[in-house]
Amino acid sequence: MHVFPQLRKLEKKYANELVVIGVHSAKFPNEKEVENLRNAVWRHDLEHPVVNDADFQVWQQYACRAWPTLMFIDPEGKVIGKHEGEISYEPFDQLLGQMVAEFDTKGVLDRTPLRFHLDREPTGPLSFPGKVLADPATDRLFISDSNHNRIIVTSLDGAVQQVIGSGSVGLNDGDLASASFNHPQGVALVGDVLYVADTENHAIRRVDLAAGTVETIAGTGNQGHMREGRGPGRTTELNSPWDLVAHNGTLYAAMAGTHQLWSMTLSDSRIGPYAGSGREALIDGPLAAAALAQPSGLTTDGTKLYFADSETSSIRSADLNPTGRVGTIVGLDLFVFGDMDGSEHNVRLQHPIGITYFEGTLYVADTYNHKIKRVRPATRSAFTLLGTGEPGDRDGRGDQAMFNEPSGLSMANGRIYIADTNNHRVRVADLSTNEVSTLELRGL
């Protein structure tokens, strides 16, 4: 995901010199399905061809070892370079500029324009909504309408009250109508202030709902790589903040890009890592020494932070004190995943992204299994609550309802609000009847 923004700039700059071909060699079974890959191409706004390398044939032929891997191929079809891991724009641009000059000199560069047919479908009022936050005290629901680059505020029954963001991609502060975001995800509410994880801007935004203003409080707009220390919010670079939760004057962030949890003291706006060394793995232990892997969902019971550690397909916890520890509730390793209910080492999830706490139970969006599950920390157990395990779009009883990569959850008045991401909908599950319905948005 971090390579895509660099590629977009380069595809535009070298429109008639550079051809990008994406090769999707999937780790998770759900990612191998063509329809799910098509949704991912739409969600990430890709405009180049993508190969579904479901059997790792291309991966093996090019001797790849890591995600991502960049292969450089000259105009005559010869592999002339390889880069493993992320790469920043400047050296990427410099290298391509040198290659263009070299192949121009040799007279082998063909600038005949290529045109691709973009496979797109209209999504409706929402486009890949990533997260939701329900606030029963004020009868409000906050929806991260991620691919429309905005936040929708409705009543809990779907009447639209506010739209935050112009819909254009950008990092502009100002009033609600002119401010801009870039694929926002998780939000946290403190009084009448909404904090937004502005994921692809690598920033945290503060929305004053009463005054109708948006301001950036952390991040510069550039992807950062800091893994220790603390700094002022406005000058510290972040790395894909994915979810937020507030507790006792501190804002906690699931910093997916550095495989850490971060914290920001709201009184002085200083920010930095809270848990995780930055190594991508599943290792429990003291906060600073533990290893996480792409945490993407975050919640709290007031004593612990609970998070969906997506790449390890696990649900984990971090104590809310500086001498605390990180522990694993369910989940085993980076390459151990599946769909199995049970307890302790018998549990298997597949890339969970959403999580919320309610009365001793964690409700989890088991995203790549297209299910909502109950996880009980006390017994280290997990059980399916909603969904069939197959992607689909169907209301009804819990074991018959169908979702498509649900990614966000929030609880209010005995109901679970669900960001059903690939269905471009918000679903509502009544816990007393186990009935799932689609929230009708009125006035959007």
Side-chain angles (χ1 to χ4, degrees):
M1 288 175 54
H2 292 157
V3 173
F4 294 155
Q6 321 304 343
L7 288 176
R8 287 192 196 96
K9 294 179 191 176
L10 294 166
E11 286 175 291
K12 184 175 181 180
K13 180 173 182 178
Y14 300 101
N16 293 326
E17 292 85 13
L18 173 67
V19 176
V20 175
I21 300 174
V23 180
H24 178 67
S25 308
K27 167 184 171 180
F28 293 99
N30 181 72
E31 295 176 332
K32 297 181 180 182
E33 299 296 328
V34 171
E35 286 304 313
N36 298 336
L37 175 55
R38 180 175 284 117
N39 277 320
V41 169
W42 295 342
R43 187 163 66 245
H44 296 300
D45 298 319
L46 303 185
E47 298 186 354
H48 55 249
V50 179
V51 179
N52 188 4
D53 186 32
D55 297 322
F56 277 64
Q57 292 179 358
V58 180
W59 175 282
Q60 292 168 0
Q61 289 167 356
Y62 282 82
C64 295
R65 301 179 302 173
W67 292 285
T69 296
L70 299 171
M71 305 298 302
F72 295 87
I73 301 173
D74 74 11
E76 297 175 311
K78 297 177 182 177
V79 174
I80 57 172
K82 178 179 182 179
H83 178 85
E84 294 178 340
E86 298 176 21
I87 185 171
S88 57
Y89 176 79
E90 288 75 15
F92 206 168
D93 177 35
Q94 184 179 14
L95 175 61
L96 285 174
Q98 292 170 351
M99 292 170 66
V100 167
E102 177 184 344
F103 298 125
D104 257 343
T105 301
K106 292 181 178 180
V108 296
L109 188 59
D110 182 358
R111 284 188 167 81
T112 304
L114 289 176
R115 295 289 179 263
F116 299 115
H117 170 70
L118 296 182
D119 186 3
R120 295 285 192 271
E121 292 180 1
T123 59
L126 301 178
S127 181
F128 296 101
K131 299 288 185 182
V132 288
L133 174 65
D135 182 39
T138 60
D139 185 36
R140 286 187 294 191
L141 178 69
F142 301 89
I143 305 168
S144 289
D145 190 11
S146 302
N147 270 50
H148 283 151
N149 305 295
R150 61 185 183 176
I151 309 295
I152 308 296
V153 186
T154 76
S155 63
L156 292 177
D157 66 358
V160 174
Q161 298 174 354
Q162 290 176 301
V163 176
I164 304 169
S166 65
S168 300
V169 171
L171 182 56
N172 298 308
D173 293 341
D175 59 45
L176 301 189
S178 61
S180 57
F181 299 84
N182 191 349
H183 295 76
Q185 291 286 337
V187 298
L189 185 66
V190 179
D192 219 23
V193 172
L194 185 74
Y195 296 95
V196 179
D198 194 5
T199 302
E200 295 196 22
N201 273 328
H202 308 290
I204 296 174
R205 318 292 291 280
R206 182 184 187 273
V207 182
D208 188 321
L209 296 165
T213 57
V214 177
E215 64 172 323
T216 303
I217 61 168
T220 65
N222 297 317
Q223 179 189 354
H225 302 282
M226 185 178 90
R227 286 177 166 80
E228 58 184 21
R230 299 183 72 79
R234 288 302 303 269
T235 58
T236 300
E237 294 181 341
L238 312 185
N239 194 330
S240 294
W242 211 275
D243 204 3
L244 301 174
V245 68
H247 178 71
N248 284 350
T250 299
L251 187 67
Y252 296 91
M255 199 68 67
T258 56
H259 313 295
Q260 293 175 310
L261 304 182
W262 280 37
S263 65
M264 181 175 188
T265 310
L266 295 176
S267 59
D268 63 9
S269 297
R270 293 186 67 81
I271 193 169
Y274 177 78
S277 64
R279 176 183 175 187
E280 185 180 14
L282 193 157
I283 301 174
D284 294 339
L287 293 176
L292 285 51
Q294 198 180 308
S296 303
L298 193 60
T299 189
T300 185
D301 64 355
T303 301
K304 293 178 181 287
L305 297 171
Y306 297 98
F307 58 99
D309 205 32
S310 299
E311 278 297 306
T312 58
S313 297
S314 65
I315 303 300
R316 306 176 70 186
S317 66
D319 294 327
L320 276 172
N321 66 72
T323 59
R325 297 175 60 85
V326 170
T328 299
I329 299 168
V330 294
L332 293 174
D333 203 351
L334 278 166
F335 291 93
V336 180
F337 46 83
D339 186 5
M340 292 175 57
D341 293 347
S343 60
E344 298 186 342
H345 296 312
N346 296 317
V347 173
R348 299 288 185 273
L349 307 175
Q350 189 183 177
H351 204 274
I353 293 179
I355 187 171
T356 191
Y357 174 88
F358 182 69
E359 294 185 347
T361 298
L362 297 168
Y363 293 85
V364 173
D366 193 5
T367 305
Y368 283 1
N369 283 326
H370 315 287
K371 288 183 174 183
I372 309 301
K373 295 188 177 180
R374 278 192 177 112
V375 174
R376 300 191 187 279
T379 58
R380 296 182 60 201
S381 58
F383 299 95
T384 298
L385 176 67
L386 308 168
T388 66
E390 296 295 325
D393 184 4
R394 185 169 70 200
D395 291 341
R397 293 282 297 177
D399 58 353
Q400 298 298 313
M402 300 181 78
F403 307 90
N404 196 334
E405 295 193 12
S407 300
L409 302 176
S410 189
M411 185 78 68
N413 302 330
R415 294 180 173 87
I416 309 176
Y417 290 81
I418 304 163
D420 193 6
T421 302
N422 285 359
N423 281 326
H424 316 292
R425 302 176 187 274
V426 172
R427 318 292 287 281
V428 185
D430 190 321
L431 289 181
S432 64
T433 63
N434 223 27
E435 195 78 16
V436 175
S437 60
T438 298
L439 184 68
E440 178 188 352
L441 299 180
R442 304 186 307 280
L444 183 61

